[in-house]
Amino acid sequence: MNRFKEFNKYAELNPIRDHISLGFKMVEEGNELYEILKNIEDNFKVDISRVIVFCSSRRRTEDSADRCNDYFSKNQQLKNKAAYYHAGMDSESRNRVFKGYNEGKYQILFATKAFGMGMDIPNIHHVYHVEPSSSF
């Protein structure tokens, strides 16, 4: 927990972007994805934004995207709007998902940390980690 306190100290010193906020929420083990989906449901603006959720494994991206689509199955704005992206996908599938995410076909993307390398998508306003990154 001390590590988080020290990190928050540096997050407060962000001189470039005062509109960026950083927060941590401790949740009961096993409820991580539910807490993220509930936060998306309560705070996400579909018409102007995208969500990216980082997962530690390829399987977790796939399982989480499926669970997200189930969770939002009765929400007309977010129904079937989740997809996954990881290095184990063939090139055609990765390109299709990336294009769909960039153009708004998918609003919520579950990805391994490799996804963010070199990506420039201006309307990602919500970034979550299902579990802490190995390099955090």
Side-chain angles (χ1 to χ4, degrees):
M1 197 62 159
N2 286 337
R3 194 167 92 181
F4 290 136
K5 288 180 184 176
E6 186 173 322
F7 188 75
N8 271 338
K9 176 177 75 173
Y10 294 110
E12 292 170 7
L13 300 175
N14 181 351
I16 300 170
R17 298 187 177 185
D18 59 357
H19 65 283
I20 294 176
S21 65
L22 176 65
F24 296 92
K25 181 176 182 182
M26 301 297 285
V27 298
E28 188 176 319
E29 190 171 339
N31 287 338
E32 301 89 355
L33 185 59
Y34 170 77
E35 292 289 337
I36 290 170
L37 297 177
K38 184 70 177 136
N39 192 275
I40 291 169
E41 187 173 43
D42 294 343
N43 298 299
F44 180 62
K45 294 179 176 59
V46 175
D47 52 333
I48 62 169
S49 193
R50 303 278 185 282
V51 174
I52 187 161
V53 182
F54 288 107
C55 301
S56 61
S57 70
R58 296 172 182 179
R59 181 177 180 155
R60 186 82 184 240
T61 65
E62 295 174 12
D63 291 346
S64 296
D66 288 344
R67 288 180 59 196
C68 179
N69 283 324
D70 288 344
Y71 182 87
F72 290 121
S73 65
K74 294 182 176 140
N75 179 319
Q76 291 305 309
Q77 291 185 309
L78 292 174
K79 183 177 182 178
N80 296 318
K81 293 289 188 171
Y84 62 87
Y85 185 103
H86 59 69
M89 299 166 63
D90 62 70
S91 181
E92 183 180 321
S93 295
R94 282 194 316 267
N95 288 335
R96 178 183 44 76
V97 169
F98 175 76
K99 182 178 179 185
Y101 182 65
N102 208 20
E103 294 176 352
K105 176 180 179 183
Y106 304 115
Q107 299 285 319
I108 304 167
L109 186 67
F110 291 85
T112 55
K113 64 184 176 182
F115 174 79
M117 304 298 178
M119 300 295 177
D120 185 18
I121 302 172
N123 58 347
I124 298 175
H125 295 120
H126 301 269
V127 178
Y128 299 92
H129 291 266
V130 174
E131 56 267 313
S133 168
S134 61
S135 61
F136 185 39

